Amino acid sequence: ACKVWPRGKLPPGYRDPVHSEAPALIISGGLDPVTLPRWGEEAARYLPNSLHVVIPKGGHPFAGLLGCVDNLMAEFISKGSIAGLDTSCTGQIRRPPFVLPSAAAKP
């Protein structure tokens, strides 16, 4: 199938990192098995006006963690800057408990 699959030519530099001076808020989950926090750190290397926030107990989705994360994103957008963002709430985030189905739910 690969022989007949259409392919285009990528321009030179296509895979080079993006460099930008624009403010950037990068949020990673410390327990994310998909996009590890090290990838956020790698992106931050090329974005000098960025802040990389790792949610220690966060996974890939932020379900159940949104109060703090939502407020942080809203503050960033409102300010248009990473200066003075309060990230202290991230250390207090707890993952929702893992719940097994009750015995009554078994067939």
Side-chain angles (χ1 to χ4, degrees), residues 16-26 43-51 82:
D16 292 349
V18 171
H19 294 265
S20 176
E21 296 292 327
L25 176 61
I26 304 166
R45 286 182 46 208
Y46 301 97
L47 303 168
N49 195 16
S50 67
L51 174 64
I82 59 169

Side-chain angles (χ1 to χ4, degrees), residues 30-82:
L31 303 175
D32 185 348
V34 180
T35 353
L36 302 171
R38 73 174 181 233
W39 295 116
E41 285 300 318
E42 181 69 14
R45 286 182 46 208
Y46 301 97
L47 303 168
N49 195 16
S50 67
L51 174 64
H52 181 211
V53 178
V54 178
I55 311 296
K57 306 258 189 221
H60 188 69
F62 293 115
L65 312 177
L66 294 179
C68 170
V69 175
D70 280 349
N71 292 340
L72 185 58
M73 290 187 297
E75 183 182 358
F76 170 69
I77 291 168
S78 174
K79 288 182 172 183
S81 171
I82 59 169

